[in-house]
Amino acid sequence: MAKQGEGFSGADVKKMAAEWHGIELSDARAAGLAGELNGLNAATRSAARRLPYDTDPAAFTSALTRLKHKGRT
Amino acid sequence: MAADPTAWSLVEVADAIVRKEVSCLEVTQACLARAETHQPTLNCFISLEADEARRQAMDADAALARGDVRGPLHGVPLAHKDLLYRAGKVVTCGSRILGDFVADRTATVLERLSAAGAVNLGALNMAEIALGASGRNEHFGHCRNPWNPDHVTGGSSSGSAAAVAGRIAYGAIGTDTGGSIRLPATMCGLVGIKPTQTRTSRHGVMPLSYSLDNVGPLTRTVADCARMLGVIAGVDPNDPTCSSEPVPDYEKSLDGAGARGVRIGVPTSYYYDHTTEAVRSALEASLQVFKSLGAEIVEVEIPDHDLIRELFGTLMRAEAANIHAKWFAERPGDYSTEVRARIEAGLYMPATRYLESMRLRPGLMDEFCEMVFGKADVFHAPGLAIAVPTLEETDAAVSDDALLINERLAWCTRAANYLGLPSLAVPCGFADRGLPVGFQLMGRPFAEEFLFQVGHAYQRETDWHQRAPAL
């Protein structure tokens, strides 16, 4: 298994696939998925550091209304 | 106008029907004749329903004879991507997984088209489960670009674009999760709009990603697009995510102020990273047209789009994988390798990352609106940065570049989905290998009416939208 801070290893993904979803993955596929996950994880985690703790995902819908087009400037 | 009604625009044919210059049946027969002639080449239909279309056209003619004009699409032949439900009919979603799925309800969007008088020609081909920017489909056969059948149509609303560009349907419904309306519209020389997130109902539409999916039309002209969106947009009690914002009369203001005085924002980064010289040149020419119309071109900085691309990827994979998780486990062989590969990582995504990608959305929308719409009224960018590829170039089995090409196809379109903003694709010429090129106009939330005005002003000055492929 991957050590803390190293992200997912192929073995981690293979185990999750089998235990969570009943899916059997080859070693190569699991390693590929681990690489993909680690990239997405790192980018999202890093960006999320800027978030105030109480940002509600539902703020998206209210932002659509708040930022809406109000005619020609 | 030309003698052949299939050469007319949607608005032109709808108006001619109401004036009784042509019957609904004549128009429908003309469309069906083209469908039967070109289906073997374009493969745009999964289910062409000729008898049902004729019956609807005859009903429409009978209603018209009684003085009953059902709505702004009375007697106009349209078609839809095969992921919109019709009660009692199979909806394949372009997949083997749903190959025998029979819907128990009808999509709100289709009910609204029908209430407005449209004739339905049938269900259109699409990328498997609505995932794939090239529009390839291993199960139903690939759709082919009417401008050159060796090339892809773009996806995932591939059949929608091929049918409209092929002058088989006057307009078609597609869906857009990361560019699936705008990409095929751009690659086939059409207009298409991804509306503001929540603007159109998704009731009775097979989901790919709940947070990113949008329903919208593909048409030949901006005016046609305005008419179709005006019919389908608006609050739907069956879709709790659908906005209650009033729907303006999009057509009424089309010939208003045009582009005079409009500040058009052009990005200083990201969107032109991979453009070919021919695409860049066509885009620059379109800006010159806007300048000649009295618009002002301003450079705008944008938020980190590499980050937005990753956040889009996290969100889309998590939601799509969740929808397909059960079938991935039970029927893995019923998906193409390519489709599974694109979303499978979502099965193992930590919930924290998914939620972070959702929580970052409103702040990035704020940032984009402040940076772009603080200086500009609309945002102008390529619809597709690269040349429209051939089917072979997008086939990972034979092309080493296929993965890179497929990634670059949606380079310019995904941000609008993540940010929830409306984006109108408009054709602006022909570039590499004689295939179409187009730009997209993005606006603030619910700016569709304004985007239509600006896009329509461009089309009054140009004739790219009037050109038809020589099939």
Side-chain angles (χ1 to χ4, degrees):
Chain A
M1 300 291 277
K3 291 177 190 166
Q4 194 172 6
E6 288 182 347
F8 293 117
S9 67
D12 294 333
V13 173
K14 203 165 174 173
K15 190 162 181 267
M16 285 190 282
E19 291 184 1
W20 294 359
H21 301 292
I23 292 173
E24 289 226 7
L25 295 175
S26 68
D27 290 345
R29 180 66 190 133
L33 283 166
E36 191 180 337
L37 275 169
N38 290 335
L40 292 167
N41 265 329
T44 307
R45 185 178 174 208
S46 165
R49 292 200 178 104
R50 71 166 88 163
L51 280 171
Y53 76 95
D54 57 353
T55 307
D56 187 331
F60 175 74
T61 312
S62 54
L64 287 173
T65 305
R66 178 170 48 81
L67 296 167
K68 76 177 179 184
H69 183 77
K70 296 197 171 70
R72 283 168 180 260
T73 52
Chain B
M1 288 197 293
D4 175 6
T6 62
W8 306 346
S9 73
L10 180 153
V11 169
E12 286 170 344
V13 82
D15 292 351
I17 286 170
V18 171
R19 289 194 302 264
K20 299 185 181 171
E21 292 166 5
V22 65
S23 74
C24 305
L25 185 59
E26 284 173 307
V27 170
T28 300
Q29 294 279 41
C31 289
L32 290 171
R34 277 189 77 81
E36 278 152 17
T37 303
H38 300 301
Q39 172 68 6
T41 308
L42 301 179
N43 194 30
C44 53
F45 280 94
I46 284 179
S47 166
L48 175 61
E49 295 159 14
D51 291 342
E52 175 62 15
R54 283 190 201 97
R55 191 193 61 71
Q56 289 176 23
M58 286 189 281
D59 282 353
D61 280 329
L64 199 59
R66 297 191 301 271
D68 174 16
V69 178
R70 289 175 179 154
L73 298 171
H74 191 106
V76 177
L78 305 175
H80 65 275
K81 188 175 184 176
D82 194 22
L83 52 46
L84 287 98
Y85 299 175
R86 289 177 294 168
K89 296 214 172 190
V90 169
V91 186
T92 68
C93 206
S95 68
R96 191 179 294 157
I97 279 292
L98 287 159
D100 55 2
F101 168 68
V102 178
D104 63 355
R105 55 196 182 275
T106 299
T108 297
V109 163
L110 292 183
E111 285 188 335
R112 287 182 179 171
L113 292 177
S114 181
V119 168
N120 190 352
L121 296 172
L124 297 162
N125 204 349
M126 56 182 285
E128 180 183 355
I129 69 164
L131 188 70
S134 70
R136 298 175 63 85
N137 189 309
E138 306 291 341
H139 305 300
F140 290 90
H142 310 311
C143 221
R144 290 173 178 271
N145 194 312
W147 292 95
N148 183 338
D150 291 337
H151 290 254
V152 300
T153 54
S156 63
S157 308
S158 52
S160 304
V164 180
R167 273 48 183 171
I168 291 166
Y170 291 93
I173 294 294
T175 57
D176 191 317
T177 303
S180 287
I181 287 172
R182 291 161 289 153
L183 285 168
T186 300
M187 293 192 219
C188 293
L190 298 172
V191 173
I193 191 162
K194 182 212 90 69
T196 305
Q197 194 78 40
T198 72
R199 178 71 296 180
T200 47
S201 167
R202 292 173 301 149
H203 172 71
V205 181
M206 179 72 194
L208 174 61
S209 170
Y210 306 108
S211 303
L212 302 166
D213 293 344
N214 296 269
V215 181
L218 292 90
T219 57
R220 300 172 203 172
T221 72
V222 171
D224 293 352
C225 199
R227 180 165 296 191
M228 279 187 76
L229 187 66
V231 168
I232 65 172
V235 67
D236 176 13
N238 289 318
D239 178 356
T241 68
C242 200
S243 172
S244 58
E245 280 290 321
V247 179
D249 183 341
Y250 295 126
E251 280 187 271
K252 195 175 173 185
S253 56
L254 277 180
D255 289 313
R260 177 159 300 282
V262 172
R263 298 170 304 166
I264 295 182
V266 177
T268 55
S269 61
Y270 184 83
Y271 283 87
Y272 284 85
D273 284 358
H274 304 294
T275 45
T276 66
E277 196 49 48
V279 169
R280 184 181 287 266
S281 171
L283 270 284
E284 279 172 7
S286 74
L287 289 170
Q288 289 304 315
V289 172
F290 281 119
K291 271 177 90 169
S292 75
L293 291 169
E296 182 190 351
I297 312 301
V298 293
E299 288 194 337
V300 290
E301 292 184 5
I302 55 174
D304 181 354
H305 271 47
D306 290 320
L307 170 64
I308 289 173
R309 204 176 63 246
E310 299 285 2
L311 296 173
F312 170 93
T314 299
L315 187 48
M316 189 279 288
R317 281 175 178 81
E319 293 189 346
N322 184 257
I323 290 165
H324 291 274
K326 180 170 170 278
W327 294 323
F328 273 177
E330 293 173 359
R331 298 167 57 190
D334 284 346
Y335 289 92
S336 68
T337 308
E338 197 179 23
V339 162
R340 268 193 67 156
R342 284 203 186 119
I343 55 175
E344 197 170 5
L347 292 174
Y348 318 111
M349 191 79 70
T352 44
R353 296 290 101 81
Y354 170 68
L355 282 167
E356 284 163 356
S357 71
M358 292 285 274
R359 292 172 64 216
L360 283 159
R361 243 180 140 190
L364 281 161
M365 194 203 317
D366 249 321
E367 206 177 314
F368 187 93
C369 286
E370 190 180 324
M371 291 173 81
V372 173
F373 300 123
K375 287 179 74 179
D377 302 305
V378 292
F379 181 69
H380 177 287
L384 172 71
I386 61 174
V388 179
T390 61
L391 280 159
E392 193 176 313
E393 285 166 344
T394 56
D395 183 354
V398 298
S399 166
D400 293 339
D401 294 333
L403 285 177
L404 183 64
I405 288 172
N406 283 318
E407 176 62 25
R408 298 252 164 104
L409 286 174
W411 186 262
C412 298
T413 51
R414 289 176 180 150
N417 298 77
Y418 183 75
L419 299 171
L421 302 175
S423 179
L424 176 70
V426 180
C428 66
F430 296 86
D432 308 86
R433 307 168 186 171
L435 273 293
V437 60
F439 58 82
Q440 50 177 336
L441 295 172
M442 285 166 61
R444 282 179 175 273
F446 303 104
E448 286 85 354
E449 182 182 27
F450 183 52
L451 299 183
F452 286 142
Q453 285 173 19
V454 177
H456 182 66
Y458 176 81
Q459 291 200 324
R460 278 190 307 199
E461 293 299 309
T462 57
D463 68 352
W464 304 115
H465 58 290
Q466 290 168 349
R467 304 195 188 186
L471 277 167

